[in-house]
């Protein structure tokens, strides 16, 4: 989902049209506070999210909104591309150093902007998938984590049982719980997920 945060209706409309021409779903927000309501919901799009953010807006400007997102650790999940007619090189360099995905000055090249949006969406999808894996890992018990480490080391159930001082049947139960919680069917798939 492309999120367009700009106080100018013409800019929001043209960017929405541009996104639609590339089959990218988009939402437009006139104010930063409206976009923050979406962020508070925490239901990010599975196809990824990217934010086109104007620097100058009333109430909360784009730089303040970006700082808020970065402070919450959302810069990778919500890559921000700044759009401005009032930018300068030091501002662009500063925002990029602080984690912005890109910085475009108006007027901009439509194709270059949409290419960067698609790259941002891809990065957001990867960050979302990684966050999902970490959330699943957090559901494992401490014993399941011990078994997981030994499975990833290529140990057979009998060796895992000997090293942990538990029965082979208990290892099999833990292994089944791990596979279920991590949503995999094989140790190879598990290793690929956690690489």
């Amino acid at each position: 989902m492309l999120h367009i945060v700009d106080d100018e209706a013409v800019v929001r409309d043209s960017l929405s049209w541009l996104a639609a021409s590339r089959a990218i779903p988009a939402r437009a927000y006139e104010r930063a506070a409206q976009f923050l309501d979406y962020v508070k919901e925490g239901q990010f799009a599975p196809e990824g999210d990217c934010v086109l953010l104007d620097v100058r807006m009333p109430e909360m400007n784009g730089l303040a909104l970006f700082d808020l997102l970065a402070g919450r650790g959302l810069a990778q999940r919500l890559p921000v591309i700044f759009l401005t007619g009032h930018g300068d090189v030091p501002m662009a360099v500063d925002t990029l150093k602080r984690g912005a995905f890109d910085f475009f000055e108006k007027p901009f090249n439509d194709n270059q902007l949409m290419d960067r949006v698609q790259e941002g969406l891809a990065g957001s999808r990867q960050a979302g998938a990684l966050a999902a894996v970490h959330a699943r890992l957090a559901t494992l018990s401490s014993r399941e984590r011990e078994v997981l480490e030994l499975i990833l080391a290529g140990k057979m159930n009998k060796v895992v049982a000997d090293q942990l001082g538990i029965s082979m049947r208990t290892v099999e139960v833990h292994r089944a719980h791990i596979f279920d919680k991590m949503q995999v069917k094989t140790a190879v798939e598990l290793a690929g997920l956690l690489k």
Side-chain angles (χ1 to χ4, degrees), residues 64-116:
L65 176 58
F66 174 70
D67 287 340
L68 196 96
L69 295 174
R72 293 182 184 175
L74 296 173
Q76 287 188 334
R77 189 63 184 92
L78 293 167
V80 172
I81 299 173
F82 279 101
L83 297 174
T84 185
H86 307 284
D88 55 29
V89 172
M91 180 189 293
V93 169
D94 181 55
T95 57
L96 292 171
K97 280 183 178 178
R98 291 184 306 153
F101 192 70
D102 213 333
F103 195 100
F104 280 78
E105 280 194 275
K106 297 174 187 174
F108 48 82
N109 178 294
D110 295 352
N111 287 327
Q112 288 177 342
L113 177 63
M114 286 297 108
D115 288 347
R116 288 300 282 163

Side-chain angles (χ1 to χ4, degrees), residues 133-134 137 140 148 152 178 182 188-195:
V133 168
H134 286 288
L137 276 172
L140 298 180
L148 172 67
L152 292 176
I178 292 166
M182 297 305 296
V188 172
E189 193 178 348
L190 181 63
L193 183 66
L194 298 175
K195 67 177 177 180

